[in-house]
Amino acid sequence: MKKFLAIYTGSATARKEWESLSADQRREREKAGIDAWMKWGETHKSDIADGGAPLGKTKRVSRDGITDIRNAMAGYTIVEAPSQEAAAKLFEKHPHFTIFPGDGVEVMECLPLPR
């Protein structure tokens, strides 16, 4: 089986929509989202190589030094699947973007190092 890195992405627009909900509405959606995410994880536990985690603020390191930047990455998971298409299908209707304010999941193969 091949390994695939799935990056959960978000946007400022989706975040604003989330923040426009009342505190009670956010709590209800948060609980529903966590329950749905746990169910997704249980359903796909044999496909998940690393459950991943949410991601915090980003620093970019380059020849020019270290700078604070923003990007769309919100979290990650590593899954195993026979193809990229099969890996991507694992995330269809995922709670990250159906309940939470995420806007998508980007799935890419973890390629072997050339030798």
Side-chain angles (χ1 to χ4, degrees):
M1 287 285 208
K2 297 176 180 182
K3 287 189 179 180
F4 296 88
L5 175 64
I7 299 289
Y8 301 101
T9 61
S11 69
T13 302
R15 190 73 190 156
K16 283 181 188 175
E17 289 173 17
W18 180 262
E19 291 170 353
S20 73
L21 299 172
S22 72
D24 288 341
Q25 288 172 314
R26 278 196 307 272
R27 272 192 295 277
E28 285 175 26
R29 287 197 45 197
E30 204 167 72
K31 180 179 179 346
I34 290 169
D35 290 348
W37 203 306
M38 292 297 150
K39 183 178 178 187
W40 179 88
E42 186 61 30
T43 299
H44 298 289
K45 69 181 174 185
S46 64
D47 304 309
I48 298 172
D50 179 341
L55 298 173
K57 293 182 179 180
T58 304
K59 291 205 179 282
R60 182 174 192 276
V61 182
S62 70
R63 292 179 195 177
D64 297 327
I66 300 171
T67 56
D68 292 330
I69 66 163
R70 292 183 144 226
N71 59 43
M73 293 184 272
Y76 77 96
T77 297
I78 298 174
V79 297
E80 293 181 327
S83 69
Q84 186 176 28
E85 184 69 25
K89 284 186 180 290
L90 297 173
F91 295 92
E92 287 182 318
K93 299 180 181 159
H94 192 281
H96 172 69
F97 54 81
T98 57
I99 299 173
F100 286 113
D103 67 355
V105 180
E106 298 179 10
V107 179
M108 63 217 76
E109 185 176 352
C110 300
L111 300 171
L113 289 172
R115 297 193 184 250

